[in-house]
């Protein structure tokens, strides 16, 4: 398991003034972390690098801002759109499982050069994704990974004792289900296609989208009928 | 030899299943990282960036938070590639401190991790 390369992103930002320290900026910058402070050398260093790169014209404040906004615009609802489409359109689901990269492009989601495999949960198989080496994640579908996805505890343990880890997320799987753990790389990402729960047959696509959470597309939980 | 970053299968504690939301500072580092590697700049390369993070050493890797590791790795690359000098960076950090950024931090560290 495990691949080699990691990360890809693209964004920019903005805000070359001490955006992380404090008190007086709430009105000037509504919507930004209100209590955020600089803690420690590395945070200062990050701000120093940003200011220097802007001063030297390597990046601009506008690019930084645009990059953050672009990233903020990607939420798990994008992945949810893919899942709901697969739940409601068997032909689409077949295309998604055969060639996920092309199938999500049909919905306007571009993985760029990165490969994507959609792993389908069935009554016999439950899938869960991880990046043991770092933090590779289907960002184009789900946005930034949750903090636990990048933490040592999840990365270390989910490949060895996935059932125990899933239990910590409140997910208990029957013993006769195979659990498959997919270790992501920079070049290959995974998305879990959860099973459509019983009792959702009459739900609209919008209602279905509400039960498809980020965590069930990572595979640490399963969707539940409301 | 197992690298510091190669965590799969090692013993560890319970997963903190309630995530913290990305802070604005974290988003800025994420954004800078993306910009430096984009098609306009191509200053950093994805795999190379990873190598820098994986080369921070056990102590640093295990002490710093995720985006702090990124920051240290970006810093080293920018110096190694001649985009910035260590003197410029030190001066800018001092300037930020003089402006009061981080001045009230009780948990300051010396930043040895990103010094060559």
């Amino acid at each position: 398991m495990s691949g080699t390369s990691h990360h890809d992103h693209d964004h920019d930002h903005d805000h070359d003034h001490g955006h992380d320290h404090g008190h007086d900026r709430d009105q000037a910058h509504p919507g930004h972390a209100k209590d955020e402070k600089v803690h420690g050398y590395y945070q200062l260093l990050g701000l120093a690098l940003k200011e220097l790169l802007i001063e030297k014209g390597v990046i601009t404040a506008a690019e930084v801002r645009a990059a953050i906004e672009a990233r903020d615009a990607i939420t798990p609802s994008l992945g949810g759109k893919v899942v709901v489409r697969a739940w409601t359109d068997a032909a689409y689901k077949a295309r998604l499982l055969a060639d996920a990269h092309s199938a999500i492009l049909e919905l306007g989601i571009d993985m760029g050069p990165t490969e994507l495999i959609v792993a389908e949960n069935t009554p016999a198989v439950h899938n869960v994704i991880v990046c043991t080496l770092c933090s590779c994640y289907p960002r184009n579908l789900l946005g930034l990974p949750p903090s636990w996805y990048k933490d040592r505890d999840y990365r270390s343990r989910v490949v060895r004792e996935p059932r125990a880890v899933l239990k910590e997320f409140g997910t208990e799987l029957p013993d006769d289900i195979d659990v498959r753990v997919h270790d992501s790389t920079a070049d290959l990402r995974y998305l879990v296609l959860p099973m459509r729960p019983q009792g959702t047959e009459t739900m609209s696509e919008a209602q279905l989208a509400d039960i498809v959470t980020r965590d069930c597309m990572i595979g640490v939980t399963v969707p539940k009928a409301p | 030899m197992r690298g510091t970053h190669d965590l799969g299968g090692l013993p560890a504690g319970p997963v903190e299943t309630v995530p913290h939301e990305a802070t604005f500072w974290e988003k800025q580092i994420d954004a800078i990282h993306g910009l430096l590697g984009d098609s306009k700049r191509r200053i950093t390369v994805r795999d190379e960036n990873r190598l820098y993070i994986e080369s921070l050493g056990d102590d640093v890797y295990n002490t710093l938070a995720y985006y702090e590791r990124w920051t240290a790795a970006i810093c080293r690359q920018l110096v190694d590639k001649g985009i910035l000098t260590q003197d410029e960076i030190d001066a800018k950090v001092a300037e930020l401190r003089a402006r009061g950024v981080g001045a009230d931090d009780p948990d300051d560290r010396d930043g040895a991790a990103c010094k060559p």
Side-chain angles (χ1 to χ4, degrees):
Chain A
M1 68 183 59
S2 227
T4 27
S5 24
H6 284 164
H7 320 129
D8 60 23
H9 338 92
D10 37 90
H11 346 111
D12 321 59
H13 22 51
D14 179 320
H15 295 286
D16 40 313
H17 34 264
H19 209 105
D20 305 77
H21 58 304
H23 332 299
D24 56 353
R25 78 184 119 84
D26 295 359
Q27 281 139 357
H29 302 282
H32 281 144
K34 292 183 181 51
D35 299 321
E36 202 170 318
K37 289 185 179 181
V38 171
H39 291 295
Y41 176 79
Y42 291 94
Q43 294 203 9
L44 265 180
L45 177 65
L47 298 178
L49 297 178
K50 182 183 71 170
E51 289 199 9
L52 286 168
L53 290 168
I54 290 171
E55 286 169 15
K56 288 177 178 285
V58 177
I59 61 178
T60 68
E63 286 176 319
V64 174
R65 173 196 296 273
I68 290 178
E69 287 177 354
R71 189 54 73 193
D72 280 347
I74 303 176
T75 70
S77 66
L78 270 185
K81 201 163 92 171
V82 173
V83 168
V84 170
R85 181 76 188 277
W87 281 354
T88 55
D89 178 344
Y92 181 78
K93 178 173 146 183
R95 294 199 295 283
L96 183 68
L97 296 177
D99 179 359
H101 196 284
S102 303
I104 65 169
L105 207 49
E106 291 179 38
L107 302 182
I109 304 163
D110 189 355
M111 289 293 287
T114 308
E115 290 297 310
L116 176 70
I117 289 178
V118 171
E120 182 189 16
N121 286 350
T122 70
V125 175
H126 181 89
N127 296 283
V128 59
I129 66 174
V130 63
C131 175
T132 60
L133 296 179
C134 184
S135 55
C136 290
Y137 184 74
R139 283 172 162 236
N140 304 43
L141 288 156
L142 302 182
L144 292 174
S147 50
W148 52 259
Y149 188 86
K150 303 177 291 185
D151 285 347
R152 164 176 296 267
D153 298 316
Y154 182 76
R155 289 162 53 196
S156 299
R157 289 178 50 231
V158 76
V159 291
R160 180 178 288 254
E161 43 177 0
R163 286 172 193 274
V165 170
L166 292 184
K167 210 167 169 179
E168 289 165 22
F169 285 90
T171 305
E172 293 203 49
L173 298 173
D175 288 342
D176 59 350
I177 286 192
D178 276 346
V179 180
R180 294 188 187 155
V181 183
H182 303 271
D183 198 354
S184 316
T185 73
D187 307 308
L188 172 59
R189 312 296 166 94
Y190 296 90
L191 183 81
V192 174
L193 174 60
M195 276 193 293
R196 182 170 174 169
Q198 304 267 329
T200 60
E201 293 73 15
T202 60
M203 286 171 64
S204 69
E205 293 195 8
Q207 288 170 321
L208 288 172
D210 283 343
I211 64 170
V212 184
T213 62
R214 174 195 68 209
D215 287 358
C216 70
M217 292 181 276
I218 297 174
V220 292
T221 62
V222 295
K224 294 176 180 63
Chain B
M1 192 185 98
R2 184 190 276 267
T4 309
H5 61 287
D6 189 2
L7 298 179
L10 295 178
V15 176
E16 184 60 62
T17 58
V18 179
H20 81 78
E21 293 303 315
T23 65
F24 186 70
W25 180 83
E26 291 175 322
K27 290 181 182 184
Q28 290 184 101
I29 299 304
D30 199 273
I32 291 170
H33 173 260
L35 287 172
L36 292 175
D38 71 8
S39 57
K40 179 175 170 185
R41 276 154 281 253
R42 298 191 191 282
I43 292 170
T44 61
V45 179
R46 187 161 78 175
D47 293 345
E48 192 179 29
N49 195 61
R50 231 185 81 247
L51 184 62
Y52 271 87
I53 290 172
E54 293 167 3
S55 304
L56 290 172
D58 288 4
D59 287 350
V60 174
Y61 190 93
N62 293 324
T63 305
L64 300 193
Y66 180 79
Y67 281 107
E68 292 180 333
R69 297 198 289 266
W70 280 34
T71 302
I74 292 168
C75 180
R76 282 190 178 180
Q77 285 182 86
L78 291 172
V79 172
D80 285 352
K81 291 167 190 275
I83 309 289
L84 302 176
T85 68
Q86 190 62 51
D87 286 348
E88 287 174 320
I89 294 167
D90 290 344
K92 178 59 83 176
V93 169
E95 181 199 320
L96 288 172
R97 284 193 206 280
R99 275 157 45 189
V101 181
D104 56 352
D105 173 32
D107 181 34
D108 211 347
R109 279 167 283 186
D110 65 4
C114 59
K115 300 284 172 62

